[in-house]
Amino acid sequence: MTVLDLLQIDLATLFMLTKTGRIQHGNEPVPSPGPRLYLAGCELGNVVRIRDDVEEETARAINALVADEPPLRDLDSAPRPFDDYMNILSEGAPIEQRNAGLVYMLPNRLGYKHDVALVNSETPEGARLHARLTNQGMPQALVELGFVEVTNIWLPWCIALHKGKIASIGFGARIGPTGAEAGVTTVSALRGRGFAAAATAGWTLLPSLQGRALFYSTDRTNVSSQRVTDRLGLRFIGASLRIT
């Protein structure tokens, strides 16, 4: 399987697509509208998807730019006519957000040596933790990160513990037909100590994920997330651009 094939699988993991290949919405458990433009590239070429509410004339103009775009193959790759993408899309509606990202592969059953206690959603111990969080409520440190209810921890998950308390959560940010995207978060006071890497590596061991291509994506500006890729030695496969 080529890296371009992998980017195509990642696309089908990130988004729900229409029959014509347009982005219908994000593939999260609680779906987002998705970006108006998603562009990702690797050494073999680029792939692009445009949201289904973007006018056809605008979509044609974007596809014409992508056709002349060099492959986004390196860690520092950026779309050459970046302002052109912005200008074309802003004619239809104001730009709300733009993100430059990096896409990595997560090996199935990733080996990572650590001494962190882990618990996951596919074990009796995980079921007991889920019940406790349901009955007692979420810890304040997680509430501050947006995990207000236990249902906010999307399945499947793997949790790293520190002194019996939740330090970091690796979870299923997107689950597609043949791929899955990892999400990870760590309580503020415990960042930079390897808990996120341990939770992410533990996530790759879950039985429900075996046989899927696993991905880890991060914004270029997210230094903490990129430390996880360094700790785990993840394989970089391409750069990406989202414009909403």
Side-chain angles (χ1 to χ4, degrees):
M1 186 179 297
T2 70
V3 285
L4 193 59
D5 293 330
L6 290 171
L7 285 183
Q8 293 285 7
I9 292 173
D10 194 33
L11 270 172
T13 302
L14 291 170
F15 309 113
M16 293 297 294
L17 304 175
T18 66
K19 291 181 180 179
T20 59
R22 293 284 201 105
I23 294 173
Q24 193 170 33
H25 54 74
N27 190 34
E28 308 94 333
V30 180
S32 67
R36 284 189 282 163
L37 167 64
Y38 180 82
L39 172 64
C42 62
E43 60 190 22
L44 297 179
N46 299 319
V47 293
V48 62
R49 289 293 182 273
I50 300 168
R51 206 166 67 192
D52 60 357
D53 60 351
V54 173
E55 293 185 358
E56 189 60 37
E57 182 178 352
T58 301
R60 284 197 297 269
I62 290 172
N63 282 320
L65 284 178
V66 174
D68 293 330
E69 183 75 60
L72 303 179
R73 59 186 298 170
D74 301 315
L75 284 164
D76 59 352
S77 291
R80 186 174 53 187
F82 181 76
D83 290 340
D84 291 343
Y85 291 113
M86 299 283 288
N87 292 336
I88 290 171
L89 283 169
S90 64
E91 291 178 2
I95 301 298
E96 298 177 5
Q97 190 175 15
R98 63 185 187 184
N99 301 92
L102 305 171
V103 185
Y104 295 84
M105 281 299 299
L106 267 171
N108 292 91
R109 306 192 64 82
L110 172 61
Y112 176 64
K113 292 184 178 180
H114 60 82
D115 58 1
V116 178
L118 300 177
V119 58
N120 71 67
S121 57
E122 300 180 2
T123 62
E125 185 182 5
R128 289 191 292 270
L129 176 59
H130 183 279
R132 186 170 78 245
L133 293 173
T134 300
N135 294 329
Q136 299 179 6
M138 299 293 284
Q140 184 58 34
L142 290 178
V143 172
E144 292 171 0
L145 295 173
F147 293 82
V148 179
E149 300 176 352
V150 69
T151 54
N152 297 141
I153 306 177
W154 295 339
L155 294 168
W157 49 257
C158 180
I159 288 176
L161 301 175
H162 176 62
K163 297 181 179 179
K165 296 183 179 181
I166 295 175
S168 188
I169 305 172
F171 57 93
R174 314 284 191 282
I175 304 294
T178 58
E181 274 267 352
V184 64
T185 190
T186 304
V187 300
S188 301
L190 296 174
R191 289 176 181 167
R193 298 171 58 175
F195 291 111
T200 303
W203 184 80
T204 71
L205 304 177
L206 299 179
S208 64
L209 297 175
Q210 303 315 304
R212 295 178 184 271
L214 305 182
F215 302 93
Y216 184 99
S217 299
T218 176
D219 286 350
R220 290 181 186 272
T221 57
N222 192 333
V223 177
S224 296
S225 186
Q226 290 175 43
R227 277 201 296 264
V228 174
T229 69
D230 292 339
R231 287 182 188 272
L232 297 179
L234 300 187
R235 173 191 174 195
F236 169 76
I237 61 171
S240 68
L241 168 68
R242 297 172 185 245
I243 301 178
T244 302

